[in-house]
Amino acid sequence: TTAQPAEAAMCNTLAQEHPRIFVTAARFARLRNAWQSTVASQPKTWAQSAINSANTILTQDPVTYNQDVRGTILDQSRTAKDRLYKLGVAWQLTGESQYAERAWEELSAVAAFPDWHPAHFLATAEMTHACAIGYDWFYHYWTSSRRTTIRSAIINLGLNAGLSQYTSNVGWSQSSGNNWNMVCNGGLSIGALAVGAESEALAENILTRAINSTRPVWKHFTTDNGAWYEGPGYWGYTTEYGIRMLAALEWALGSDFGISGTQGVSESGLAPIGSTGPSNVIFNFADAGAGGAPRGPVFQWMARRYGQPLYDAWENLGSGGALDALWWNDSTASLTNSGAQPDRAFHGDAGTAFKPQEMVTLRGRWYDSRATFIGCKGGEMGAAHGNLDAGTFVLDALGKRWFHDLGGDNYALPGYFSDTPSSGTDRWDYYRMRPEGQNTLTVSPSANADMVLDAVAPLVAYQSEPGGSGSFAIHDLTPVYSGMTRVWRGARLLGARDELLVQDEIQASTGKTVWWFAHFTYPATTVAINPDGTSALLTQGAERLWCKILSGGGTFQVMDAVPLPTSPNPAGQNANAGYKKLAIQLTG
């Protein structure tokens, strides 16, 4: 159903038995049988891994109330959450009380915290999630007194703190919310479902507010046809809580109230899959690290919900975790038989309230670690966690990543999250956030932002020919540059889909200075420039990439990955010592 939930009736369909958060007793029994079986299987491997981790946790002290450099206890919340999942699986499968007693040490410790740091509500939401798992999965082991202790902590330190934020209309609860909306609403919902009828009025109040708060934010997936505008790192964080919220509602109440039917959500798993290069490095635009592809049990839930075997195939390639073992779908899907497409355009519905990110990924072919791959984007400049990066791209070939996105910088830097230029340091003063820190064009460099904040670079053309050499994408960057008549950037796979053309068309009514940049690792990559300057040979180990300026003038040069002389250079930012950049300068 797509109906709005009725607060007074919310718990009428609540499952009465524990566990009911993400699993049932039957689901634990299913995993126990797989774990005890002599037949090797993926869930058996993942379950044993969780038990092994739980054995390590037995030797560790419970978390303490220690604030990090930004003044949050988010790391403690995440540690507690991770431990309680693993200890929960270990106790449910083995029945050994040592795991439950260690879980009690963790839960009693955090229940005694003075608060769960609601000033940084992500910490509160994640700790509420952690304690909800501990309360629900060990429910039948706890004495009445212990249940009261855990339940009171969830209510007083989690749900009541959340209710205060809802009634204050804090930013994360609004329809313009970002990953915070999903995390905070998700954590609170899981906590409310755990205590359920034991605090029914509060639980129903929280659930109604959470569902109504998060519903419009899911439209971001509609805007970007499944991608998440804050980048792949926050795709993982957003879906971890967003999908778990839907799963918790489904398991405990029998319905997610139509949210999973929101346009674009069924395609959301395609974003990390499509944007992971053959080198197994993600297209890490925005504040994302250059790690491997996001994976997690959300793929298994989406595989079942949307009948999409590709999601199971993707998750089966990962190391798995406690919830992976429980949500195993008995799938035999693989990337070779599940319909993976080499090209993806995340160009969604412009009719939503949000601005798009317009990501495109093109690859030579799946199943080949040496295939050529490009990820590129346009979209909104100045989005949450975003950079001034219209036109930026990453390039894989021959099993290597050649041109890199530098990713985010230190969140504790002064003004890092101040996205409005001011007299003090703001986000757009940092190299990694500016156009010059991307693989794109910098026009008339200055001390200012060098791209127009809030402007959108739309995807104006896209074509996919998986069997041919005609796959391409074109972004119109004109809106993001001041004083330019036309700036278009296109990327096309050529030959046997192993050659790449990057084409820029640049027009201005008056003379401009334009820089073209592409960052590479150093000294892992060496560069030899031809004497005439029009070609460059990049080398990584035994592999070589040849780059040629086909037309338009200019010559290649190698520069340090540091601010231009006209740019700000705030203290403390990443020195990018492991990178240099290939550059072309055009004047007039």
Side-chain angles (χ1 to χ4, degrees):
T1 177
T2 59
Q4 298 285 335
E7 179 178 328
M10 179 66 71
C11 287
N12 285 2
T13 59
L14 178 68
Q16 298 303 301
E17 290 298 317
H18 294 274
R20 60 180 176 233
I21 306 299
F22 307 138
V23 295
T24 60
R27 177 64 65 155
F28 270 120
R30 174 177 179 263
L31 179 58
R32 189 180 305 112
N33 289 337
W35 175 67
Q36 292 174 339
S37 172
T38 58
V39 178
S41 67
Q42 191 79 291
K44 177 183 174 73
T45 299
W46 288 341
Q48 187 59 53
S49 177
I51 294 171
N52 293 343
S53 295
N55 289 332
T56 300
I57 294 167
L58 293 176
T59 68
Q60 298 171 335
D61 293 331
V63 296
T64 57
Y65 194 92
N66 288 326
Q67 295 183 349
D68 62 21
V69 67
R70 293 189 294 152
T72 82
I73 62 165
L74 187 55
D75 287 344
Q76 282 70 35
S77 297
R78 290 172 175 173
T79 298
K81 177 188 67 178
D82 177 69
R83 289 174 173 179
L84 287 162
Y85 270 96
K86 291 170 178 175
L87 290 166
V89 166
W91 177 70
Q92 287 279 353
L93 297 193
T94 69
E96 295 180 15
S97 62
Q98 60 179 339
Y99 300 115
E101 289 298 325
R102 178 60 186 82
W104 170 245
E105 290 183 42
E106 202 76 42
L107 290 160
S108 60
V110 301
F113 282 7
D115 56 50
W116 290 344
H117 201 243
H120 190 87
F121 205 78
L122 295 179
T124 304
E126 294 218 39
M127 194 67 86
T128 304
H129 175 187
C131 291
I133 294 299
Y135 184 71
D136 183 61
W137 287 14
F138 294 94
Y139 184 85
H140 295 292
Y141 182 86
W142 304 137
T143 62
S144 175
S145 174
R146 287 183 175 184
R147 287 177 192 165
T148 298
T149 297
I150 304 165
R151 185 172 64 248
S152 296
I154 293 172
I155 292 170
N156 295 326
L157 301 179
L159 302 185
N160 282 337
L163 186 59
S164 175
Q165 299 233 338
Y166 284 129
T167 56
S168 300
N169 293 315
V170 295
W172 63 256
S173 69
Q174 303 305 301
S175 60
S176 58
N178 55 11
N179 67 88
W180 280 60
N181 180 281
M182 298 288 195
V183 175
C184 297
N185 284 313
L188 290 170
S189 296
I190 293 166
L193 291 168
V195 301
E198 294 157 308
S199 187
E200 187 168 319
L202 176 61
E204 290 179 333
N205 192 352
I206 291 289
L207 289 167
T208 302
R209 290 176 182 273
I211 291 168
N212 291 337
S213 168
T214 201
R215 188 184 295 275
V217 180
W218 287 87
K219 293 286 187 179
H220 275 295
F221 291 111
T222 307
T223 301
D224 286 310
N225 196 30
W228 185 251
Y229 76 112
E230 296 175 288
Y234 284 94
W235 180 96
Y237 196 28
T238 298
T239 58
E240 176 189 354
Y241 272 86
I243 295 297
R244 289 191 196 200
M245 177 181 177
L246 302 188
L249 292 169
E250 176 193 48
W251 282 89
L253 298 181
S255 172
D256 63 28
F257 303 95
I259 296 176
S260 62
T262 304
Q263 180 185 340
V265 177
S266 62
E267 288 81 25
S268 61
L270 299 176
I273 295 173
S275 58
T276 301
S279 66
N280 198 39
V281 179
I282 199 86
F283 174 25
N284 58 307
F285 67 90
D287 278 334
R295 287 191 168 86
V298 297
F299 284 98
Q300 295 171 317
W301 187 89
M302 289 190 292
R304 178 182 57 78
R305 169 64 179 83
Y306 302 116
Q308 175 57 277
L310 175 58
Y311 295 161
D312 269 330
W314 184 252
E315 183 59 11
N316 291 349
L317 295 173
S319 56
L323 197 53
D324 282 289
L326 286 160
W327 281 2
W328 172 253
N329 286 326
D330 293 325
S331 172
T332 59
S334 69
L335 290 180
T336 59
N337 65 14
S338 55
Q341 298 299 311
D343 307 322
R344 290 283 179 189
F346 296 91
H347 177 67
D349 185 350
T352 67
F354 304 116
K355 296 178 180 179
Q357 285 305 304
E358 304 284 54
M359 180 178 70
V360 176
T361 61
L362 311 172
R363 75 184 65 231
R365 58 208 149 268
W366 275 104
Y367 333 123
D368 182 354
S369 63
R370 294 175 62 81
T372 298
F373 165 89
I374 181 173
C376 52
K377 71 175 291 292
E380 179 187 6
M381 298 301 96
H385 286 287
N387 300 331
L388 303 179
D389 60 358
T392 198
F393 71 99
V394 295
L395 172 64
D396 284 7
L398 308 172
K400 307 288 186 181
R401 174 142 298 179
W402 295 93
F403 294 135
H404 293 251
D405 190 301
L406 302 182
D409 210 323
N410 185 347
Y411 283 14
L413 285 168
Y416 189 81
F417 290 112
S418 174
D419 58 5
T420 301
S422 63
S423 57
T425 301
D426 61 69
R427 184 175 180 86
W428 316 122
D429 291 332
Y430 293 106
Y431 179 83
R432 289 190 169 203
M433 314 295 110
R434 296 170 60 80
E436 64 195 284
Q438 319 300 320
N439 300 332
T440 190
L441 305 173
T442 296
V443 177
S444 298
S446 70
N448 298 321
D450 287 345
M451 280 188 181
V452 179
L453 293 176
D454 300 322
V456 173
L459 178 68
V460 293
Y462 166 74
Q463 177 175 290
S464 176
E465 290 187 3
S469 61
S471 292
F472 67 83
I474 302 172
H475 289 93
D476 181 3
L477 312 187
T478 314
V480 308
Y481 292 110
S482 297
M484 301 300 290
T485 306
R486 171 185 169 104
V487 184
W488 279 21
R489 165 160 281 190
R492 181 170 183 161
L493 292 180
L494 300 169
R497 295 178 63 86
D498 56 357
E499 301 171 19
L500 172 67
L501 172 67
V502 176
Q503 178 169 313
D504 295 311
E505 299 176 8
I506 310 168
Q507 296 175 2
S509 58
T510 59
K512 305 286 184 181
T513 296
V514 177
W515 284 98
W516 182 104
F517 293 131
H519 291 76
F520 59 87
T521 54
Y522 179 83
T525 306
T526 60
V527 179
I529 297 176
N530 188 278
D532 69 3
T534 67
S535 65
L537 188 66
L538 280 65
T539 302
Q540 291 189 63
E543 309 300 347
R544 298 182 299 170
L545 180 80
W546 185 68
C547 304
K548 174 70 175 178
I549 301 172
L550 296 180
S551 64
T555 56
F556 281 125
Q557 58 179 295
V558 173
M559 300 174 63
D560 292 333
V562 298
L564 292 165
T566 53
S567 298
N569 191 6
Q573 68 176 324
N574 196 306
N576 305 313
Y579 295 92
K580 288 186 180 289
K581 57 187 179 183
L582 199 60
I584 305 167
Q585 184 183 28
L586 300 174
T587 58

